[in-house]
């Protein structure tokens, strides 16, 4: 099953392509050629989007990961942590936003904190989850 966003894009792409095909059947002459050209541009544009997006997401993830690293170094200078990003287009992660950054502090190995970097560069802690039932997370910023 494809990622929900990719599925929505395929449905939109299919709908637009279907509309162009119907228009090319109805219209004749110069307009038919314009519609065919538009359909070709649509197919090429969607193919480029589909194949370039994983590299784009990986690039954005690395930038956000670096910003979260700086944020953590400022807030917790004597702590050690592991940072990872959400895998994009991998099974089991379809419902997760690939732009979130997960942090697990070494002194709290059973709690995973989720961070999000806004377009302005501001880092927000959006939540945490227990990997084991431990009370009172030490690094909760809210």
């Amino acid at each position: 099953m494809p990622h929900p966003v990719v599925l929505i894009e395929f449905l939109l792409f299919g709908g637009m392509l279907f509309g162009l095909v119907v228009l090319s059947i109805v219209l004749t002459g110069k307009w038919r050629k314009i519609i065919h050209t538009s359909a070709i541009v649509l197919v090429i544009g969607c193919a480029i989007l589909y194949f370039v997006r994983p590299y784009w997401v990986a690039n954005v993830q690395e930038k956000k990961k670096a910003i979260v690293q700086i944020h953590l170094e400022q807030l917790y200078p004597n702590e050690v942590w592991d940072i990872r990003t959400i895998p994009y287009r991998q099974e089991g992660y379809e419902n997760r936003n690939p732009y979130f950054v997960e942090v697990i502090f070494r002194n709290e190995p059973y709690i995973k904190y989720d961070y999000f970097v806004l377009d302005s560069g501001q880092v927000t802690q959006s939540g945490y989850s227990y990997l084991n039932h431990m009370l009172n997370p030490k690094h909760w910023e809210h």
Side-chain angles (χ1 to χ4, degrees):
M1 182 77 178
H3 191 276
V5 172
V6 174
L7 185 64
I8 291 168
E9 289 169 351
F10 281 159
L11 289 173
L12 287 173
F13 164 70
M16 288 189 294
L17 192 60
F18 179 75
L20 289 174
V21 168
V22 168
L23 275 175
S24 73
I25 292 171
V26 173
L27 300 175
T28 59
K30 177 179 85 170
W31 289 106
R32 181 175 285 178
K33 289 183 184 196
I34 291 172
I35 298 296
H36 286 167
T37 303
S38 299
I40 290 169
V41 168
L42 178 68
V43 169
I44 291 171
C46 288
I48 289 171
L49 176 69
Y50 185 74
F51 290 111
V52 168
R53 178 176 290 140
Y55 301 106
W56 177 267
V57 169
N59 184 33
V60 172
Q61 283 180 330
E62 287 305 313
K63 287 179 183 176
K64 291 185 182 232
K65 192 173 168 182
I67 293 170
V68 170
Q69 177 75 26
I70 293 168
H71 172 79
L72 294 174
E73 287 170 354
Q74 290 173 349
L75 266 121
Y76 311 109
N78 299 323
E79 299 277 347
V80 179
W81 53 80
D82 295 317
I83 295 180
R84 73 180 207 102
T85 54
I86 308 297
Y88 182 64
R89 283 193 187 166
Q90 287 189 13
E91 194 154 331
Y93 295 95
E94 293 90 357
N95 62 340
R96 299 290 311 271
N97 184 337
Y99 298 116
F100 279 94
V101 178
E102 295 178 343
V103 176
I104 298 176
F105 290 89
R106 296 272 171 91
N107 64 348
E108 268 186 319
Y110 299 113
I111 297 180
K112 177 179 60 176
Y113 295 92
D114 290 325
Y115 287 87
F116 187 75
V117 180
L118 302 172
D119 290 336
S120 64
Q122 179 185 354
V123 177
T124 61
Q125 192 180 58
S126 59
Y128 64 91
S129 58
Y130 294 104
L131 303 175
N132 191 356
H133 296 289
M134 180 180 170
L135 298 175
N136 300 326
K138 298 176 188 174
H139 301 92
W140 180 239
E141 295 176 13
H142 291 271

